Amino acid sequence: MKFILFYLPSVGTVSQTHKGMAGQNSQNYQNMLWQLSEQIKFADKAGFWGAAFTEHHFHIEGIEQSNNPVLLGLYFGMQTTRIRLGQMANVIPFHNPLRLAEDIAMLDQMLQGRSFFGIARGYQKRWADVLGQTYGVGGTMSDKSEVDQKNRRLFLEHYEIIKKAWTSETFSHKSEHWTIPPEGLKFNHEVVNRFGKGQNADGIITEIGIAPKTFQKPHPPIFQPFSFSEDTFRFCAREGIAPFALATDDDVLSDLFRAYQEEAAAAGRDYKLGQNIGIFRDTLVLDDAAEAHKYAAMGNGFVWPAWFAPIGFNEAFRRKGETGRIGPECDYNYLCEKGFEFVGNPDQVNRQIENMVKKHNPEYFLMWQYPGPIPHHIQMRNLELWATEILPNWND
């Protein structure tokens, strides 16, 4: 199994967050950069497979302050030698797909193939609806609404353009929002004919290409967090994308994993059950289980009820066949009861992983980390115990 550290990352302690506007405090941000540098450098030497960062904007509160996961990946990648750096994920409906394809190719070249590429559709309306004005789209919680459907169409358009840019020497593209290159684009530059491609005899640009190409061929691994639906798992299976499950119900997970394997087989991919799939959990391991739960309650036990539950993420805990409303009311004990917290001493967490592997056997395990609310020395001890007491049992 491949273990990936997942950083939002948050900045500021719990008390600093309660004071307000923690995200605009430069010292808070510098502390986050230092903590992550130390933690990821340790993880690099300890054998963790990867580290990932999300994409969100305008988080003046200090929670999920990660507006450019590509730039964060380069920053930490230049301090390490083996660990992979990537995104969970880039919200691609709100990106210029050509620029994003170039940025990822540059990151992959600079890290000599130590990158991975995450894609998502975007759900946080405060920033999605602001940045999405360019394309007339906004955030969505997959509710089949008009906004949701337009977001999905643009997501698929941008995904197709990015893959064309990576895998084709030169290419053209025509879709709802894009004509690449624009019709009748006259450049008439002889150097294109002498040293490049994509210009006809009349000097009209007919195709474009990006440079550099990605270091990995045909491109870096592609991930899609955090998947709730069978439709998403089947799309990922057809494309060879690794989906990351947020669900905690074993029956729901089994259905999703089987659907992925079935769809992958139909697309000509002979995957074992769980291959090219990830599971996402909040994690913290300390020598004393009670201490681990105390600090986890300061991390996800604070952030989830305050931020994620009111947005609707408790839907991830729906049991198979369960109907009706799942409200935002929750606390840390609720998260533990639902099976989202892989927290305790090494023996306890090893048993949780063993149970997960027996039932689902995911190829990837994504581990939520909190550099702000949880003190740095606690995070470092957590990583030390993962490296010595857990990874040797499960690492590929």
Side-chain angles (χ1 to χ4, degrees):
M1 192 157 57
K2 300 177 177 71
F3 292 83
I4 305 174
L5 301 174
F6 178 52
Y7 290 97
L8 291 174
S10 297
V11 304
T13 64
V14 174
S15 62
Q16 288 169 335
T17 302
H18 279 294
K19 291 177 182 177
M21 303 297 285
Q24 292 187 348
N25 184 299
S26 291
Q27 187 60 56
N28 288 347
Y29 197 79
Q30 291 297 316
N31 286 342
M32 179 275 290
L33 291 176
W34 176 80
Q35 289 180 41
L36 263 65
S37 293
E38 295 301 304
Q39 292 170 27
I40 293 171
K41 285 188 290 186
F42 176 87
D44 179 48
K45 296 176 182 177
F48 286 83
W49 187 85
F53 316 96
T54 188
E55 181 193 354
H56 289 299
H57 302 269
F58 316 144
H59 279 225
I60 54 178
E61 301 83 7
I63 298 170
E64 288 193 300
Q65 193 165 346
S66 184
N67 47 300
N68 192 326
V70 179
L71 197 57
L72 284 170
L74 178 60
Y75 180 77
F76 298 114
M78 298 304 288
Q79 301 179 55
T80 53
T81 58
R82 294 182 297 180
I83 195 169
R84 289 173 175 260
L85 286 302
Q87 315 87 42
M88 291 285 185
N90 302 285
V91 185
I92 63 173
F94 312 111
H95 280 274
N96 180 309
L98 293 171
R99 294 192 64 130
L100 183 58
E102 290 176 328
D103 287 349
I104 297 298
M106 290 177 66
L107 176 69
D108 200 42
Q109 288 286 346
M110 291 174 181
L111 299 187
Q112 296 186 334
R114 288 193 293 127
S115 77
F116 52 90
F117 178 61
I119 57 176
R121 293 179 56 206
Y123 69 92
Q124 289 193 17
K125 293 181 69 64
R126 177 175 62 176
W127 73 261
D129 287 34
V130 172
L131 298 187
Q133 293 177 83
T134 303
Y135 305 108
V137 296
T140 176
M141 288 298 289
S142 300
D143 57 4
K144 311 298 183 184
S145 65
E146 183 179 344
V147 170
D148 178 52
Q149 292 175 41
K150 187 167 185 180
N151 177 291
R152 182 177 295 279
R153 293 198 305 273
L154 192 61
F155 169 86
L156 293 173
E157 272 187 72
H158 285 188
Y159 168 72
E160 183 180 354
I161 292 167
I162 290 166
K163 283 197 70 176
K164 279 185 176 182
W166 287 341
T167 58
S168 305
E169 196 172 43
T170 61
F171 71 99
S172 60
H173 179 88
K174 179 78 172 177
S175 58
E176 181 181 353
H177 296 91
W178 286 92
T179 299
I180 302 172
E183 295 177 1
L185 174 59
K186 191 161 188 176
F187 192 46
N188 200 26
H189 196 9
E190 180 60 24
V191 74
V192 176
N193 297 329
R194 291 175 62 196
F195 305 129
K197 288 184 177 181
Q199 181 175 264
N200 68 17
D202 296 322
I204 303 298
I205 298 297
T206 59
E207 291 191 336
I208 57 99
I210 68 164
K213 309 296 279 188
T214 57
F215 186 88
Q216 298 173 83
K217 305 303 178 190
H219 50 70
I222 302 178
F223 297 152
Q224 184 168 354
F226 295 106
S227 304
F228 287 21
S229 72
E230 182 176 316
D231 287 346
T232 298
F233 266 66
R234 289 187 179 276
F235 162 74
C236 289
R238 290 191 297 272
E239 293 293 326
I241 298 169
F244 279 69
L246 189 58
T248 57
D249 181 72
D250 283 328
D251 291 332
V252 170
L253 287 171
S254 293
D255 288 348
L256 292 173
F257 278 44
R258 282 194 294 268
Y260 185 89
Q261 185 185 35
E262 173 188 289
E263 196 75 23
R269 296 185 178 87
D270 185 20
Y271 288 154
K272 298 176 182 177
L273 190 66
Q275 185 177 351
N276 208 41
I277 301 176
I279 287 179
F280 171 45
R281 296 290 180 263
D282 183 43
T283 63
L284 188 67
V285 176
L286 295 175
D287 301 277
D288 180 76
E291 186 178 32
H293 283 289
K294 181 186 79 171
Y295 283 107
M298 294 169 56
N300 195 45
F302 163 63
V303 174
W304 188 281
W307 189 263
F308 292 101
I311 293 175
F313 267 68
N314 283 355
E315 185 65 30
F317 307 136
R318 186 180 293 276
R319 304 302 185 190
K320 183 178 180 179
E322 183 179 358
T323 60
R325 176 178 176 271
I326 295 181
E329 302 79 14
C330 68
D331 58 15
Y332 178 68
N333 290 331
Y334 173 89
L335 298 171
C336 291
E337 291 167 4
K338 293 297 183 180
F340 190 64
E341 302 297 311
F342 276 38
V343 174
N345 61 39
D347 288 341
Q348 291 170 334
V349 173
N350 267 313
R351 286 197 296 272
Q352 287 181 289
I353 294 174
E354 181 180 16
N355 183 58
M356 177 184 68
V357 169
K358 282 182 177 179
K359 292 180 178 178
H360 310 296
N361 197 33
E363 182 173 351
Y364 300 97
F365 185 58
L366 188 64
M367 309 162 51
W368 211 344
Q369 308 294 298
Y370 284 97
I374 298 178
H376 175 65
H377 73 282
I378 296 296
Q379 292 276 32
M380 289 299 295
R381 181 56 181 160
N382 164 60
L383 294 176
E384 290 168 1
L385 288 171
W386 275 93
T388 57
E389 302 295 333
I390 298 178
L391 262 61
N393 299 325
W394 307 105
N395 237 341
D396 288 346

